Amino acid sequence: MNAPRTKLKSNLPAQIDSTPEDMISLHGVVKTFSNAAGEFTVLKSVDLKINRGEFVSIVGKSGSGKSTLLNMVTGIDHPTDGLVVVNRTDIYTGVTESQRSKWRGKNLGIVFQFFQLLPMLTLLENVMLPMDYVDMYDFDERPARAMELLKLVGLEKFANKLPVLVSTGQQQLAAIARAMACDPPLLVADEPTGNLDSRTADTIIQLFESFVAQGKTIVMVTHDPSLTSRTHRNLIISDGELINESVSRALPQLRHRHMLEFTKLIQARAYHPHETILSREKHDDHFFIIRKGDVEVVLHDEQNREYALSDLRKDDFFGEAELTHSGKSIANVRAGNDPVEVVIISRADFIRVMNESPITAEAVGKTVQTKLETQRIADHRSK
């Protein structure tokens, strides 16, 4: 294991001035492993913020860095460079392993794919273990709290059984009860449903949703797209880098490598309320994705009276009809009542990636045809 580059000091974890909404804040996090073949960088200057009360999923191909990213958040591994702040605490700078372990016990609940229950302890004793380790709750209160958590996950009848005597799904439910033993504000789960049937997986996600409703923050690595649809945000990591969320949400059919390519190419623009973004019949060589705010698409009739064609919102896109057809804007596009932030991609980059991604090109083409037909009907009615 690589040692952190920061010099350790014998003090408690430092409190960081982050916004009250931040539960997790990563700044320029790098993780490099060394072996006989040389150095291999798994995380490449990752910046990430996750707010309190969010339910976030992380996906990526094997070897993309998603589990390493979780290990940075939990303090299980050390970043080679960068800052990791969890619950307003810098968990690496000047912190010993013992201090970090105690901090983790009070602030994090961790759920692993393979449960990691201690086989010689009953389910009840497994759930009590974190309370014993960090000395939370009075000694006499711990069995009752553990039983309450087992009841929450439907295992109160199995409290005195060893893990080997219950099903894999029940073992995972017991692991979730154990993760919540010290009432942590953050729950981190690495493929928590990977070895379970769909019914048990749904039970676990319902539990997670109930925790989030109580104000907990949950970060979950998963390969299951049916689960990512139930989270507030879905982060995609590719080759050690996070893909821009506006790109992944606007163009979900893209391969991850193309999403990452767009992430590196996009440029940000901002517009004031009601500011014109595109003018009809004027050329523009960019594809636009709305990152924040609402956008109005408007036309004028023969008497030059304005009427709305459509409204576009966060993660919608525009400009694709212009890039794939005449190059001239088919309508006037302007910011709505609030400031608008967009990211843009040049014509050359957009066309090149569309040519390499026929599935995305087909989906975008259908959107273009719908817009052109809507515009044709609107033009006809305005005459």
Side-chain angles (χ1 to χ4, degrees):
M1 182 182 295
N2 292 337
R5 292 179 179 175
T6 49
K7 185 178 180 181
L8 294 180
K9 304 174 184 177
S10 57
N11 61 311
L12 292 173
Q15 294 296 314
I16 301 298
D17 289 332
S18 58
T19 65
E21 294 82 13
D22 293 341
M23 173 57 72
I24 297 171
S25 185
L26 275 59
H27 305 274
V29 171
V30 176
K31 180 60 183 178
T32 301
F33 293 99
S34 298
N35 55 31
E39 287 193 342
F40 178 68
T41 302
V42 182
L43 297 179
K44 304 171 183 177
S45 297
V46 172
D47 294 315
L48 172 65
K49 283 186 179 291
I50 294 177
N51 293 337
R52 296 177 189 276
E54 280 194 301
F55 187 4
V56 177
S57 53
I58 301 176
V59 301
K61 295 179 179 178
S62 295
S64 61
K66 55 187 182 298
S67 291
T68 303
L69 180 62
L70 278 195
N71 289 343
M72 299 298 105
V73 172
T74 59
I76 291 174
D77 204 350
H78 296 271
T80 305
D81 201 359
L83 183 66
V84 179
V85 180
V86 182
N87 200 19
R88 302 193 69 186
T89 298
D90 179 347
I91 64 173
Y92 289 105
T93 306
V95 182
T96 67
E97 291 288 354
S98 176
Q99 291 166 343
R100 185 161 41 251
S101 181
K102 286 294 180 72
W103 174 88
R104 180 167 51 238
K106 292 184 178 181
N107 289 271
L108 297 179
I110 305 177
V111 181
F112 301 96
Q113 181 177 358
F114 296 104
F115 328 134
Q116 297 193 8
L117 298 171
L118 293 183
M120 72 292 296
L121 300 181
T122 66
L123 299 188
L124 185 72
E125 291 166 338
N126 266 282
V127 176
M128 290 171 56
L129 197 61
M131 307 180 216
D132 296 337
Y133 179 71
V134 298
D135 196 26
M136 279 191 70
Y137 307 106
D138 291 338
F139 183 82
D140 293 336
E141 293 179 6
R142 294 171 192 171
R145 172 161 177 79
M147 183 61 78
E148 180 183 336
L149 289 166
L150 287 174
K151 184 176 181 179
L152 177 67
V153 300
L155 295 180
E156 66 273 20
K157 294 180 180 179
F158 304 91
N160 295 314
K161 288 186 177 292
L162 295 175
V164 72
L165 298 177
V166 300
S167 69
T168 55
Q170 289 169 328
Q171 288 183 60
Q172 188 63 296
L173 289 168
I176 292 171
R178 180 187 59 187
M180 300 303 294
C182 296
D183 196 26
L186 173 63
L187 183 67
V188 175
D190 192 355
E191 294 286 1
T193 64
N195 295 312
L196 307 178
D197 60 83
S198 59
R199 182 176 179 181
T200 307
D202 182 67
T203 298
I204 286 172
I205 297 305
Q206 288 184 37
L207 274 172
F208 286 175
E209 290 171 335
S210 71
F211 294 152
V212 171
Q214 297 167 23
K216 306 292 185 186
T217 305
I218 298 181
V219 181
M220 173 182 67
V221 163
T222 181
H223 281 101
D224 189 342
S226 69
L227 303 184
T228 61
S229 64
R230 296 171 65 172
T231 61
H232 298 154
R233 292 167 62 191
N234 180 38
L235 304 177
I236 301 175
I237 188 167
S238 176
D239 193 25
E241 299 181 75
L242 284 176
I243 288 169
N244 180 277
E245 292 179 65
S246 295
V247 170
S248 65
R249 288 193 293 257
L251 301 169
Q253 300 90 353
L254 278 179
R255 296 183 178 94
H256 288 181
R257 65 182 179 88
H258 286 135
M259 289 184 183
L260 183 58
E261 188 175 353
F262 273 172
T263 295
K264 295 177 179 180
L265 291 170
I266 58 175
Q267 297 178 331
R269 282 187 182 175
Y271 297 90
H272 297 295
H274 307 298
E275 182 178 356
T276 297
I277 301 173
L278 294 177
S279 297
R280 188 176 188 184
E281 296 299 322
K282 296 293 180 67
H283 283 274
D284 194 278
D285 286 335
H286 294 95
F287 175 76
F288 297 75
I289 302 174
I290 302 171
R291 183 181 164 290
K292 183 179 180 180
D294 297 337
V295 165
E296 301 171 338
V297 181
V298 298
L299 292 172
H300 291 83
D301 61 20
E302 291 183 333
Q303 284 75 44
N304 204 35
R305 292 174 300 192
E306 181 179 281
Y307 62 95
L309 186 63
S310 61
D311 291 320
L312 303 177
R313 304 183 184 280
K314 180 180 177 181
D315 301 327
D316 287 335
F317 56 78
F318 59 94
E320 78 289 350
E322 291 76 6
L323 297 186
T324 57
H325 285 71
S326 67
K328 294 182 179 181
S329 177
I330 64 174
N332 299 306
V333 182
R334 68 189 180 201
N337 295 324
D338 299 308
V340 168
E341 297 177 11
V342 300
V343 292
I344 62 170
I345 300 165
S346 72
R347 170 193 286 270
D349 291 322
F350 177 76
I351 296 298
R352 174 174 51 78
V353 170
M354 289 301 102
N355 289 337
E356 296 176 7
S357 180
I359 294 176
T360 305
E362 181 182 0
V364 170
K366 290 179 180 178
T367 302
V368 169
Q369 291 305 314
T370 299
K371 289 182 178 179
L372 291 175
E373 180 63 17
T374 301
Q375 182 220 14
R376 186 190 66 78
I377 294 172
D379 281 343
H380 178 74
R381 289 177 176 174
S382 68
K383 293 178 180 179

